[in-house]
Amino acid sequence: MPTGPTSSVLFLPGIDPIQAWELGQFYTLNGFDLWEEHRTIPGAIHLFDMISICANGVVCTVPNGFAVSRILVAGGMGLDATGKQRSLVQSTVTGQDWVDLACDGVVPCPHGRARRFFVLQGEIYVVARAFKTSPPSRPFVWHYLYATNELIEVSATPMLPSGDFMMHDNFPFASGIIYLSGKTDGTSHFAGGSLMYATSITSAAAVTLPVVGVVPRSLRIIGGQVYLLSDKNEGGNVYTVYLHKSPALTGSDWTEVCRFQTLPAGGIARSFEHVPSIGINGGAGRLYFGIGTPYLLVDGMFDLRTLSN
């Protein structure tokens, strides 16, 4: 996401500070190869997402020459007196003077962890997860109101299927957004779930996956098509990693780009990127895959002891 004096500087949130937890950090990209750390965000133990709003009132998704009016961060703070974790949703203009946002009139935001911003039909929303509450892992979708700098819960929305509390890899597509909905297998790792397409906050549905039984891990829009990374457990600690593409998400127009299994066995690809060789999105280039290992569910919880060898 762009930030800074104009919308031409990139930044990256830091999830876990290695220094004291009183301040969280984010990074800005100076030039093409130097990330500069900024430790200015109060109470930001976990920082998952950032978004900037330009002075013309729209989200700064590309450099547009307008000055940044407001920067929002989403994450998790420490525990309150009852042992419940507080969500972190704050705003600033300069990256220094952070202010807690009200969530349904409560400051700071209660519940748990605010994880992901998304823009749908020109409106800004944030997905949050209840943490150490009853019922556990209850999802929230908040609507951000720019005029009053506050968030209001969306009382009924199909954006997250039952049991899901995380949005991952959300991108504008056609007349709405395409994204992955699911859970985490720890603090921040996306554990797969459903491929979703939404045209409004009240209209969202799952998209048929290209192979029965695969777990969707990541997606990108390349050359106007949706590219989906997934994997399938073949048994015996063997996983087949798939990359498919679709121009229209009809559920039947998937084309396989490639598939592979890791050596040694047991690996999956959690992420991928396409780097064009001639600077054209969707043109010739290279695909890069980030290889990791899966967790398994044990009694409804992701068990770190089940990490593949």
Side-chain angles (χ1 to χ4, degrees):
M1 289 294 181
T3 182
T6 67
S7 58
S8 59
V9 179
L10 294 178
F11 61 67
L12 183 71
I15 293 179
D16 280 307
I18 61 174
Q19 302 97 331
W21 282 3
E22 285 79 8
L23 293 173
Q25 79 271 37
F26 66 98
Y27 303 86
T28 55
L29 181 62
N30 297 323
F32 291 97
D33 57 0
L34 178 63
W35 288 96
E36 181 179 354
E37 181 185 49
H38 306 270
R39 277 179 49 80
T40 63
I41 307 176
I45 297 176
H46 304 301
L47 184 60
F48 299 115
D49 202 7
M50 305 180 76
I51 193 170
S52 60
I53 305 172
C54 280
N56 60 342
V58 302
V59 173
C60 307
T61 54
V62 296
N64 60 17
F66 286 92
V68 170
S69 170
R70 195 170 294 162
I71 304 168
L72 308 183
V73 299
M77 299 173 67
L79 304 182
D80 63 18
T82 66
K84 296 178 181 178
Q85 189 174 53
R86 295 168 292 166
S87 294
L88 174 74
V89 186
Q90 296 179 325
S91 70
T92 182
V93 175
T94 64
Q96 303 291 329
D97 54 341
W98 297 94
V99 177
D100 284 315
L101 270 66
C103 296
D104 294 324
V106 179
V107 181
C109 292
H111 308 316
R113 293 173 175 175
R115 289 191 168 272
R116 176 74 68 162
F117 292 106
F118 66 94
V119 179
L120 185 55
Q121 301 300 330
E123 299 294 321
I124 300 171
Y125 301 90
V126 60
V127 174
R129 168 197 177 188
F131 191 72
K132 294 190 175 182
T133 62
S134 180
S137 301
R138 167 164 125 66
F140 293 83
V141 176
W142 284 319
H143 182 195
Y144 176 67
L145 304 179
Y146 180 78
T148 55
N149 201 29
E150 64 177 338
L151 295 117
I152 303 298
E153 184 181 359
V154 179
S155 58
T157 175
M159 295 292 295
L160 298 174
S162 177
D164 289 354
F165 53 77
M166 185 175 183
M167 176 183 284
H168 186 62
D169 283 357
N170 48 298
F171 297 99
F173 185 75
S175 58
I177 62 170
I178 186 77
Y179 61 98
L180 298 178
S181 172
K183 302 177 178 65
T184 63
D185 54 9
T187 298
S188 58
H189 290 167
F190 180 69
S194 302
L195 174 63
M196 304 288 294
Y197 176 64
T199 54
S200 73
I201 198 66
T202 58
S203 179
V207 178
T208 301
L209 297 174
V211 177
V212 175
V214 295
V215 177
R217 299 288 181 180
S218 186
L219 64 86
R220 294 289 184 271
I221 306 298
I222 304 173
Q225 298 195 64
V226 175
Y227 280 67
L228 176 68
L229 178 70
S230 64
D231 59 76
K232 185 175 183 180
N233 187 346
E234 307 289 2
N237 198 38
V238 175
Y239 297 84
T240 300
V241 176
Y242 293 93
L243 184 66
H244 289 84
K245 64 180 179 179
S246 168
L249 293 179
T250 63
S252 59
D253 61 351
W254 291 106
T255 301
E256 184 178 307
V257 178
C258 66
R259 72 170 77 180
F260 62 88
Q261 296 174 346
T262 63
L263 291 174
I268 61 171
R270 290 186 178 275
S271 60
F272 74 104
E273 287 292 347
H274 170 256
V275 180
S277 57
I278 55 175
I280 300 175
N281 186 303
R286 295 179 182 271
L287 287 169
Y288 293 87
F289 296 88
I291 305 300
T293 53
Y295 300 90
L296 297 180
L297 279 170
V298 177
D299 296 328
M301 300 291 290
F302 288 100
D303 191 340
L304 298 180
R305 296 171 296 179
T306 64
L307 274 173
S308 166
N309 292 326

XYZ file of all heavy atoms in Angstrom, residues 1 40 48 66 78 87 100 120 146 151-152 165 169 186 198 211 223 248 253 262 273 277 280 290 301:
185
model
N 0.835 -1.192 0.000
C 0.000 0.000 0.000
C 0.878 1.253 0.000
O 1.883 1.294 0.712
C -0.899 0.014 1.235
C -2.008 -1.022 1.186
S -3.191 -0.658 -0.118
C -4.320 -2.012 0.113
N 6.624 3.398 15.806
C 5.850 4.542 16.283
C 4.449 4.173 16.742
O 3.741 5.037 17.267
C 5.718 5.603 15.177
O 4.978 5.049 14.071
C 7.089 6.072 14.689
N -1.178 -6.464 11.309
C -1.460 -7.335 10.178
C -1.679 -6.599 8.861
O -1.411 -7.141 7.801
C -2.691 -8.196 10.473
C -2.528 -9.098 11.661
C -3.311 -8.926 12.782
C -1.582 -10.105 11.666
C -3.170 -9.761 13.883
C -1.440 -10.944 12.749
C -2.230 -10.769 13.871
N -1.901 12.703 -5.122
C -2.578 13.333 -3.998
C -1.832 13.034 -2.695
O -1.292 11.943 -2.507
C -4.017 12.820 -3.880
C -4.941 13.370 -4.923
C -5.135 12.683 -6.115
C -5.602 14.565 -4.728
C -5.987 13.180 -7.086
C -6.461 15.065 -5.700
C -6.649 14.379 -6.876
N -2.425 -5.740 23.501
C -2.292 -6.620 24.658
C -3.644 -6.973 25.248
O -4.698 -6.568 24.762
N -8.571 -5.331 19.954
C -8.198 -5.071 18.560
C -7.486 -3.734 18.463
O -7.743 -2.819 19.255
C -9.434 -5.042 17.660
O -10.039 -6.306 17.599
N -6.535 5.978 18.478
C -7.430 4.818 18.490
C -8.763 5.163 17.863
O -9.331 6.237 18.126
C -7.672 4.338 19.925
C -6.484 3.587 20.486
O -5.935 2.737 19.774
O -6.115 3.857 21.646
N -14.867 -2.397 -1.050
C -15.931 -3.001 -1.853
C -16.953 -1.919 -2.184
O -17.492 -1.272 -1.276
C -16.579 -4.156 -1.079
C -17.638 -4.980 -1.804
C -17.107 -5.547 -3.108
C -18.141 -6.111 -0.899
N -15.343 7.425 7.059
C -14.270 8.409 6.956
C -14.630 9.725 7.640
O -13.794 10.351 8.302
C -13.940 8.651 5.486
C -12.837 9.656 5.269
C -11.501 9.310 5.457
C -13.129 10.960 4.869
C -10.492 10.228 5.265
C -12.122 11.889 4.668
C -10.798 11.517 4.865
O -9.802 12.429 4.685
N -15.609 2.981 13.252
C -16.057 1.754 12.611
C -17.370 1.295 13.219
O -17.566 1.373 14.435
C -15.008 0.652 12.761
C -13.684 0.932 12.043
C -12.559 1.027 13.063
C -13.381 -0.135 11.012
N -18.260 0.799 12.357
C -19.557 0.281 12.777
C -19.664 -1.158 12.279
O -19.401 -1.442 11.103
C -20.717 1.122 12.203
C -20.580 2.587 12.620
C -22.052 0.551 12.664
C -20.646 2.823 14.113
N -12.743 -16.809 10.005
C -12.553 -15.511 10.644
C -11.418 -14.718 10.006
O -10.993 -13.701 10.542
C -12.260 -15.673 12.144
C -11.119 -16.598 12.478
C -9.809 -16.190 12.325
C -11.372 -17.866 12.957
C -8.753 -17.033 12.632
C -10.323 -18.727 13.272
C -9.017 -18.302 13.113
N -5.590 -12.323 0.701
C -5.377 -12.068 -0.732
C -6.628 -11.528 -1.418
O -7.163 -12.136 -2.357
C -4.912 -13.347 -1.433
C -3.454 -13.649 -1.165
O -2.793 -12.850 -0.483
O -2.970 -14.696 -1.630
N -1.975 -20.441 13.455
C -1.027 -19.790 14.343
C -1.389 -18.325 14.405
O -2.550 -17.944 14.263
N -17.346 -11.479 -4.113
C -18.390 -10.628 -3.555
C -18.605 -9.419 -4.441
O -17.649 -8.810 -4.917
C -18.010 -10.172 -2.147
N -9.918 -28.295 -8.563
C -9.687 -29.711 -8.283
C -10.382 -30.050 -6.973
O -10.243 -29.321 -5.978
C -8.181 -30.033 -8.175
C -7.960 -31.498 -7.799
C -7.468 -29.702 -9.484
N -2.522 -10.379 -15.645
C -3.041 -10.213 -16.990
C -4.549 -10.289 -17.061
O -5.108 -10.789 -18.048
N -12.913 -15.834 -15.863
C -14.238 -15.324 -15.494
C -14.832 -15.956 -14.243
O -15.924 -15.577 -13.828
C -15.208 -15.532 -16.661
N -14.129 -22.856 -15.945
C -13.180 -22.313 -16.924
C -11.750 -22.267 -16.375
O -10.938 -21.463 -16.808
C -13.615 -20.921 -17.377
C -13.683 -19.922 -16.233
O -13.555 -20.334 -15.069
O -13.862 -18.716 -16.507
N 7.168 -31.447 -3.866
C 8.488 -31.055 -3.385
C 9.378 -32.266 -3.155
O 8.908 -33.370 -2.903
C 8.387 -30.273 -2.062
O 7.822 -31.130 -1.051
C 7.533 -29.036 -2.226
N 4.468 -15.548 -6.663
C 4.491 -14.258 -7.338
C 4.896 -14.452 -8.793
O 5.665 -15.364 -9.116
C 5.482 -13.289 -6.681
C 5.039 -12.744 -5.340
C 3.851 -11.816 -5.427
O 3.503 -11.377 -6.545
O 3.276 -11.506 -4.360
N 9.189 -10.354 -17.223
C 10.544 -10.069 -17.695
C 10.627 -8.770 -18.478
O 11.688 -8.169 -18.596
C 11.049 -11.230 -18.557
O 10.164 -11.452 -19.647
N 5.421 -6.213 -18.196
C 4.004 -6.264 -18.554
C 3.307 -7.295 -17.678
O 3.678 -8.471 -17.684
C 3.811 -6.629 -20.037
C 4.489 -5.587 -20.933
C 2.325 -6.722 -20.369
C 4.447 -5.937 -22.403
N 6.748 -19.709 -2.666
C 7.260 -19.767 -1.300
C 6.868 -21.089 -0.664
O 5.675 -21.370 -0.457
N -7.999 -27.921 16.732
C -6.964 -26.901 16.857
C -5.773 -27.277 15.985
O -5.466 -28.464 15.804
C -6.497 -26.767 18.318
C -7.585 -26.376 19.290
S -8.158 -24.685 19.056
C -6.714 -23.782 19.621
